[in-house]
Amino acid sequence: RGSLRRELHKMAAAAGAEANAVAAEEEKRLPEGDPESGGDSEDEGDSDSSGDGEDEEKENEAEIQRLEEQLSINAFDYNCHLDLIKLLRQEGELIKLRRARQKMSELFPLTEEIWLDWLKDEIKMASESSEREKVYELFERAVKDYICPEIWLEYAQYSIGGIGQEGGIEKVRSIFERALTAVGLHVTKGTALWEAYREFENAILETAQPAPGSVPSPEQQQMLCSQLEKIHMLFRRQLGIPLLDMEASYAEYEEWSEDPIPETTVKNYKKALQQLEKCKPYEEALLGAEPPKLAEYQAYIDFEMKAGDPARIQLIYERALAENCLVPDLWARYNQYLDRQLKVKELVLSAHDRAVRNCPWTVGLWIRYLLAMERHRVDHGVISEMFEKALNAGFIQATDYVEIWQAYLDYLRRRVDFTQDSSKELEELRSAFARAVEYLKQEVEERFSESGDPSCTIMQNWARVEARLCNNMQKARELWDNIMTKGNAKYANMWLEYYNLERAHGDTQHCRKALHRAVQCTSDYPEHVCEVLLTLERIEGTLEDWDAAVQKTENRLARVNEQRAKAAEKEAALAKQEEEKAEQRKQARAEKKASKKAKKTRIGDKRRADDDDEGEWGQEEEAELPSKRHKGDGDGIHLEEEMEVETGLFGRSGPEKSDLPGNQKEKASTSRKDIPKVLHDSSKDNVTVFVSNLSYTMADPEVKLKELFESCGEVVEIRPVFSNKGTFRGYCYVEFKEEKSALQALGLDRKVVEGRPMFVSPCVDKNKNPDFKVFRYSTTLEKHKLFISGLPFSCTKEELEDVCKAHGNVKDIRLVTNRAGKPKGLAYVEYENEAQASQAVLKMDGLTVKEHVIKVAISNPPLRKLPDKTEAGRASQFAVPRQVYGARGKGRTQLSMMPRALQRQSNPVAKAENGMVQNSPATSSQPPEEPKKMSNADFAKMLLKK
């Protein structure tokens, strides 16, 4: 406060202020080094540094030239503007710097930092009164871009320097009042403005005090009282607003005022304190949140909307937009509030203008702007000029251009007085319709390979205007004829639209003619068109008309049914061919399997003939065994367990080759029964992750994966899953001690391990959570992200980044690979905002990269096909026990591997009907016993007994 007061006294004298400004300018122009000598003394080190400086200066000049050329090609490159301004400021090119800032401010709203740098540079150079006026104009532009307390405070303090001029004090007060209106309600930053305003008035009070020992005149006494009242009023106004450090302001008022604080002021102060307590949670949430803070700001906006204070609602919207200026939805909600609630012309139009300057690619903001301008009676020339700007905004979809044209045509139609046969407005409307059709055909189709208006909605509306409002059916018929020649003649709804128009504004003859053509041309719903034609003739036609209509519809429907029958036959033939091919493939697989089985049988017979000992099993038992036999290195062939139990999969040390003699074989057989199963406790899902797509050849997966996952937290256990042969199956469970470690481990998803991308997923039972999705990438339209196809497989992430970063700030690049980690020639590139992405599409689509022409589009993936519920999918990932279909799941042939002898039951139980088991009379008195679950060993004993 003391420094502000000293600043006030210094700047009150115009001559002193001018001298200070000139001195500052002269000091700025002095070369670096000794200010007295002007840097004349040089030594060897100085010469070296000057040489380096010259090289750097040349590099900067070349870079400046390159940036200027790039902006001449694409004036909407935001980052290029920033880099150019930074270099020009570094080089001291003041004229070029001013021009560069001016160009950027015409295209984009500038941030608070850019404005403050610009203003400080201009303030240093402003010594004459005319230059000060230019600085004032610059401040006026700055405060219109965003609501920034710092800029308003700088504006007010700078204006204090002009109080020596005529009306200077009143001008300063006016700026302070405007600042308080704009940001005086800012909970965290508003206090600084209130205090600066009070300090200014206190400084004026001090200058108005009479000299010591003198008696003030009545005029001086009146001025003192008036000045004191101004300061009292500022205190009272501030204490009625919820601001941080209100208590300190209240204590300061008590100390400053000689009279007790009025009861009304105390009451308002307490009310403001209560309001502050309600606002504090939202302010603290904003303080602790990471950008962009959209959720926190939205909660704050909802709170203020319930309170219903328009000034506070406007301020919180402005604060949110200052940090999220590239969020179109936020601008749309703000503008909707202003349009429907405040309805203040200057405020509404200013907000709409800032919205389209920040998000020019969003067609909805442009449409709302045109509507707001029409609503507030803006001049027609201004609206037309704004529409032309919208056409050059660079929309990212062809349909956006249809929407903006339709909005402008609606505006032009509302200007026309259709009671007159012809008028200037009507001719302008017709000319605009013709231009719109031509624009979509030429400009839009050339850019997007489509007009965005396949059903010709603009031409349809033009035809309706001509028919209904201008009574010009001849022109309407010409337009509809043009519409039908653009591929719409096969659609029944298009013909019915034309028929309804003729029905309302034409005559029966043309209605009949239109329906006859519709019957002939329609291919999607010919029955509907035929029905409408017969209805017309039933009501208005003659007998000859009726007969002609019946004959025409019957012939047409007969041809349609014949075509449908042929199409059905063709489809059935194709289906039959597919069935035959499938049967051939099935038969080929069966023959191949039979040949393999016969080959194994011959090898087994040969080995049995060569053996001296019969082995543990007899020849007869061997013939009856259905289980798979493995070649052994020793005397005999042993039964190996191939079945999987319901509780889980076999562990790593499953079936092994047996070459142990005697009771060692028996021990090995016993040990195989005790093989630990890979079980998963679903209660530990929150601390467990499922890892898949690992290499089958990975040696010691426990050791390898433990080293990898220990960086996320303490690992309790790693449970790899092995096949019955003991080979690693490429997936495992990783259990952590803490849940946060498991969450952190998900960040290792897609990490390349031994040349393959490792998949890390949450451990979730899909039976209990059928809607759970593992896919972590967005499947909807992302306007700030590009999809690139046609890339060479050798293209690296760094090479692609070099190509993309020339068009904006690249946040992330993802090269799409298959499960083996091999590139697919596809990539997703995420930019900082939608504007950069849309510019990149324009510049990169069709670009050649390593002799490959790439295609670039805004990321909009097609809907993912949901898997069939009957289809098994990554069952082990979600800890669902496997069924008893065997080690390889249920086979294609759906054959049971259990011997028929074991499938027969001595007392068969009847099938259940409607949930109840129907027992035989002999056993109806006792409940049926459930069949005992048996292991493979039990099956073997039963076979031996038989």
Side-chain angles (χ1 to χ4, degrees):
R1 297 175 184 175
S3 62
L4 178 62
R5 189 178 292 110
R6 288 192 297 272
E7 182 74 13
L8 175 65
H9 288 298
K10 283 181 182 179
M11 302 183 74
E18 183 175 356
N20 290 338
V22 172
E25 181 65 21
E26 290 298 327
E27 182 179 353
K28 181 184 174 192
R29 292 174 181 173
L30 284 174
E32 295 182 0
D34 186 2
E36 298 296 330
S37 62
D40 290 338
S41 61
E42 295 181 357
D43 55 18
E44 186 177 351
D46 292 336
S47 63
D48 293 341
S49 61
S50 64
D52 295 339
E54 290 177 0
D55 294 339
E56 183 179 354
E57 184 177 350
K58 290 180 180 179
E59 292 178 1
N60 289 342
E61 288 178 358
E63 181 65 12
I64 289 171
Q65 186 176 357
R66 185 190 70 82
L67 292 172
E68 288 176 342
E69 291 176 356
Q70 187 169 341
L71 285 175
S72 65
I73 299 172
N74 179 17
F76 289 90
D77 193 331
Y78 189 88
N79 292 325
C80 190
H81 281 285
L82 292 180
D83 295 339
L84 179 60
I85 290 173
K86 182 179 178 181
L87 274 177
L88 290 174
R89 194 165 190 250
Q90 180 180 334
E91 292 297 310
E93 298 282 350
L94 300 180
I95 297 177
K96 288 185 177 181
L97 176 62
R98 183 180 292 168
R99 191 184 303 123
R101 284 167 167 165
Q102 181 67 28
K103 287 183 178 180
M104 185 177 183
S105 66
E106 291 173 357
L107 297 173
F108 304 101
L110 304 185
T111 63
E112 177 183 331
E113 294 77 10
I114 298 175
W115 272 120
L116 288 174
D117 289 340
W118 189 358
L119 290 165
K120 289 174 183 177
D121 290 344
E122 295 292 344
I123 288 172
K124 291 178 183 178
M125 296 184 290
S127 57
E128 302 293 335
S129 59
S130 60
E131 293 176 345
R132 289 184 62 85
E133 287 300 322
K134 292 181 179 179
V135 176
Y136 282 129
E137 294 175 3
L138 203 59
F139 269 114
E140 288 296 330
R141 290 173 54 192
V143 296
K144 289 179 181 178
D145 275 357
Y146 299 109
I147 298 296
C148 299
E150 289 80 0
I151 293 179
W152 275 110
L153 187 59
E154 189 76 25
Y155 190 9
Q157 289 180 345
Y158 178 73
S159 67
I160 294 174
I163 61 174
Q165 301 174 358
E166 184 179 354
I169 293 178
E170 291 306 318
K171 185 171 185 177
V172 174
R173 284 177 176 154
S174 173
I175 293 172
F176 267 119
E177 287 295 336
R178 290 174 57 201
L180 292 180
T181 302
V183 293
L185 299 178
H186 199 298
V187 176
T188 58
K189 297 181 179 180
T191 304
L193 271 169
W194 287 99
E195 291 181 351
Y197 195 0
R198 288 204 316 272
E199 286 299 322
F200 168 73
E201 296 293 354
N202 275 320
I204 293 178
L205 178 64
E206 290 181 9
T207 59
Q209 294 286 353
S214 62
V215 178
S217 64
E219 292 80 7
Q220 289 179 326
Q221 190 66 35
Q222 184 180 359
M223 190 178 73
L224 285 173
C225 292
S226 175
Q227 190 63 25
L228 283 171
E229 184 59 28
K230 283 185 174 66
I231 300 174
H232 274 289
M233 187 57 65
L234 282 175
F235 267 118
R236 293 167 189 168
R237 288 167 60 190
Q238 180 183 355
L239 293 175
I241 299 172
L243 300 171
L244 290 183
D245 298 329
M246 290 184 65
E247 298 84 353
S249 300
Y250 185 81
E252 182 181 350
Y253 187 26
E254 284 184 318
E255 181 182 352
W256 181 85
S257 178
E258 297 177 356
D259 301 326
I261 299 178
E263 186 64 28
T264 306
T265 303
V266 175
K267 184 178 179 180
N268 291 337
Y269 167 69
K270 291 181 179 179
K271 185 178 179 181
L273 270 179
Q274 293 176 355
Q275 181 70 14
L276 178 63
E277 290 302 317
K278 295 178 182 178
C279 294
K280 273 186 177 179
Y282 299 99
E283 293 290 346
E284 291 170 357
L286 288 174
L287 188 64
E290 294 291 332
K293 309 180 184 178
L294 277 173
E296 290 77 13
Y297 271 119
Q298 189 58 52
Y300 206 163
I301 289 170
D302 294 339
F303 165 73
E304 293 292 359
M305 291 286 280
K306 291 179 181 177
D309 186 344
R312 298 191 62 84
I313 294 172
Q314 180 193 355
L315 179 62
I316 191 59
Y317 263 121
E318 291 286 356
R319 288 177 60 184
L321 288 167
E323 295 190 45
N324 300 278
C325 59
L326 299 178
V327 180
D329 290 341
L330 188 59
W331 281 109
R333 291 195 294 270
Y334 181 39
N335 290 337
Q336 183 179 15
Y337 171 76
L338 295 177
D339 287 333
R340 297 180 179 179
Q341 303 297 327
L342 296 188
K343 301 180 182 179
V344 179
K345 179 178 178 180
E346 291 75 14
L347 184 61
V348 169
L349 296 182
S350 172
H352 280 287
D353 184 69
R354 290 186 291 135
V356 297
R357 290 177 66 202
N358 276 286
C359 307
W361 62 88
T362 308
V363 69
L365 297 178
W366 287 100
I367 293 174
R368 292 186 180 92
Y369 193 7
L370 294 177
L371 291 171
M373 295 174 79
E374 181 184 3
R375 199 175 291 122
H376 291 282
R377 305 288 192 274
V378 176
D379 185 69
H380 171 63
V382 177
I383 297 179
S384 298
E385 183 180 348
M386 192 56 59
F387 168 70
E388 295 298 333
K389 288 184 179 179
L391 287 182
N392 296 320
F395 300 132
I396 59 178
Q397 297 182 83
T399 53
D400 292 344
Y401 288 93
V402 179
E403 292 180 28
I404 193 65
W405 266 111
Q406 192 58 65
Y408 183 60
L409 292 168
D410 292 344
Y411 157 71
L412 293 179
R413 194 266 308 162
R414 289 189 285 266
R415 294 181 68 243
V416 179
D417 181 7
F418 290 100
T419 59
Q420 302 178 9
D421 292 337
S422 63
S423 63
K424 179 182 177 181
E425 289 79 9
L426 179 57
E427 293 305 317
E428 185 178 4
L429 174 61
R430 284 172 171 161
S431 176
F433 268 118
R435 184 189 166 201
V437 173
E438 188 66 21
Y439 186 91
L440 295 177
K441 181 180 179 181
Q442 299 292 334
E443 302 289 337
V444 178
E445 279 194 16
E446 182 179 349
R447 178 178 170 188
F448 296 97
S449 300
E450 59 166 328
S451 67
D453 191 17
S455 57
C456 302
T457 54
I458 288 181
M459 293 183 69
Q460 287 189 47
N461 290 332
W462 187 2
R464 294 186 186 104
V465 169
E466 293 288 353
R468 297 176 185 176
L469 301 177
C470 301
N471 298 319
N472 188 354
M473 273 304 298
Q474 183 61 35
K475 179 65 176 177
R477 291 181 186 118
E478 292 176 5
L479 291 169
W480 268 104
D481 186 66
N482 196 1
I483 290 171
M484 291 305 183
T485 59
K486 294 184 180 297
N488 292 303
K490 58 185 176 182
Y491 300 117
N493 67 314
M494 300 296 288
W495 283 107
L496 295 179
E497 281 286 342
Y498 176 39
Y499 166 74
N500 291 331
L501 191 67
E502 283 285 359
R503 193 73 172 156
H505 306 285
D507 51 56
T508 304
Q509 181 181 356
H510 283 91
C511 288
R512 182 176 292 113
K513 184 178 179 180
L515 289 177
H516 275 275
R517 288 180 61 195
V519 169
Q520 189 68 28
C521 300
T522 302
S523 60
D524 54 350
Y525 298 106
E527 294 89 350
H528 192 186
V529 176
C530 292
E531 183 181 352
V532 174
L533 174 59
L534 293 176
T535 302
L536 173 67
E537 300 300 358
R538 178 174 285 113
I539 296 173
E540 299 186 18
T542 63
L543 178 61
E544 290 77 9
D545 295 332
W546 172 261
D547 290 340
V550 170
Q551 182 179 357
K552 193 173 190 68
T553 54
E554 286 179 351
N555 292 339
R556 176 59 178 159
L557 292 179
R559 287 198 303 272
V560 169
N561 292 331
E562 183 180 351
Q563 291 172 358
R564 289 174 179 172
K566 288 181 179 179
E569 290 177 2
K570 186 176 181 180
E571 185 176 351
L574 291 174
K576 186 176 181 181
Q577 289 179 4
E578 290 296 326
E579 290 179 1
E580 291 176 354
K581 290 180 180 178
E583 187 65 30
Q584 291 175 0
R585 288 194 294 267
K586 184 176 179 181
Q587 186 177 356
R589 286 196 298 268
E591 292 175 357
K592 186 176 180 181
K593 187 175 180 180
S595 64
K596 286 184 178 180
K597 187 174 181 181
K599 184 177 180 181
K600 288 182 179 179
T601 304
R602 289 195 298 271
I603 295 174
D605 292 342
K606 183 179 179 180
R607 291 201 174 192
R608 280 195 297 271
D610 294 338
D611 287 338
D612 295 330
D613 297 328
E614 197 176 43
E616 187 176 344
W617 303 94
Q619 296 292 338
E620 293 181 1
E621 285 92 345
E622 288 179 10
E624 294 179 3
L625 286 178
S627 61
K628 183 187 288 186
R629 292 178 173 85
H630 297 277
K631 292 183 288 184
D633 296 329
D635 296 333
I637 300 175
H638 303 278
L639 176 67
E640 301 290 344
E641 290 184 343
E642 283 293 326
M643 302 290 288
E644 291 179 359
V645 295
E646 287 184 330
T647 54
L649 302 170
F650 276 111
R652 180 176 182 178
S653 46
E656 297 177 354
K657 297 178 181 179
S658 176
D659 57 353
L660 300 175
N663 43 353
Q664 289 185 2
K665 295 180 184 179
E666 188 175 353
K667 290 179 181 179
S669 176
T670 305
S671 65
R672 281 196 295 271
K673 297 177 185 177
D674 300 329
I675 291 175
K677 311 298 186 297
V678 180
L679 303 177
H680 174 65
D681 185 357
S682 60
S683 64
K684 296 183 179 180
D685 280 350
N686 60 327
V687 294
T688 307
V689 295
F690 179 77
V691 183
S692 61
N693 201 44
L694 298 169
S695 174
Y696 293 165
T697 59
M698 179 181 288
D700 294 328
E702 298 99 326
V703 178
K704 178 76 175 179
L705 295 177
K706 188 169 185 179
E707 294 175 356
L708 190 63
F709 283 96
E710 276 182 338
S711 61
C712 303
E714 183 178 347
V715 178
V716 175
E717 183 183 9
I718 294 180
R719 301 189 294 277
V721 179
F722 296 90
S723 68
N724 297 322
K725 294 182 180 180
T727 57
F728 181 44
R729 299 187 66 176
Y731 57 90
C732 68
Y733 299 93
V734 179
E735 182 182 334
F736 291 92
K737 186 175 182 180
E738 299 179 348
E739 184 177 356
K740 64 179 182 180
S741 302
L743 296 175
Q744 187 176 348
L746 297 177
L748 297 177
D749 187 34
R750 312 280 171 164
K751 181 179 178 63
V752 178
V753 177
E754 294 190 1
R756 294 174 64 89
M758 174 180 68
F759 298 161
V760 184
S761 311
C763 200
V764 177
D765 188 347
K766 267 204 169 181
N767 286 345
K768 298 178 181 178
N769 300 275
D771 296 330
F772 177 77
K773 296 180 180 179
V774 180
F775 194 71
R776 64 171 184 169
Y777 300 108
S778 175
T779 58
T780 58
L781 175 66
E782 295 179 281
K783 294 184 178 181
H784 65 291
K785 187 179 290 186
L786 304 184
F787 173 69
I788 303 178
S789 60
L791 289 167
F793 292 161
S794 61
C795 182
T796 64
K797 184 175 181 180
E798 292 74 17
E799 291 172 341
L800 183 58
E801 184 176 7
D802 290 339
V803 175
C804 297
K805 70 181 181 182
H807 309 290
N809 186 17
V810 177
K811 292 180 65 177
D812 183 44
I813 292 180
R814 177 166 64 93
L815 294 177
V816 182
T817 62
N818 58 19
R819 294 179 67 89
K822 303 298 182 182
K824 300 175 71 173
L826 309 174
Y828 289 91
V829 180
E830 182 180 357
Y831 280 94
E832 197 170 55
N833 54 57
E834 298 176 23
Q836 295 177 2
S838 62
Q839 291 299 319
V841 171
L842 294 176
K843 299 297 180 183
M844 293 174 55
D845 189 28
L847 190 68
T848 302
V849 177
K850 293 185 178 180
E851 300 181 356
H852 284 68
V853 178
I854 64 173
K855 293 183 179 180
V856 184
I858 297 296
S859 176
N860 189 14
L863 293 175
R864 291 177 63 83
K865 197 171 183 180
L866 295 176
D868 190 3
K869 291 183 179 179
T870 61
E871 190 177 314
R874 298 174 74 181
S876 58
Q877 174 176 348
F878 305 110
V880 180
R882 294 280 299 272
Q883 299 298 319
V884 289
Y885 293 141
R888 301 182 184 276
K890 195 168 185 178
R892 290 177 179 149
T893 57
Q894 307 293 308
L895 297 178
S896 172
M897 300 303 294
M898 185 185 296
R900 293 189 184 91
L902 299 182
Q903 294 178 0
R904 294 192 297 271
Q905 297 182 7
S906 58
N907 294 318
V909 180
K911 292 184 179 179
E913 295 182 4
N914 298 326
M916 300 295 292
V917 177
Q918 306 295 329
N919 295 331
S920 62
T923 59
S924 61
S925 60
Q926 295 181 355
E929 294 184 359
E930 294 183 1
K932 181 180 178 182
K933 295 182 178 179
M934 294 184 294
S935 65
N936 290 346
D938 294 331
F939 291 150
K941 290 178 182 178
M942 291 179 63
L943 288 170
L944 291 174
K945 288 178 182 178
K946 289 179 179 293

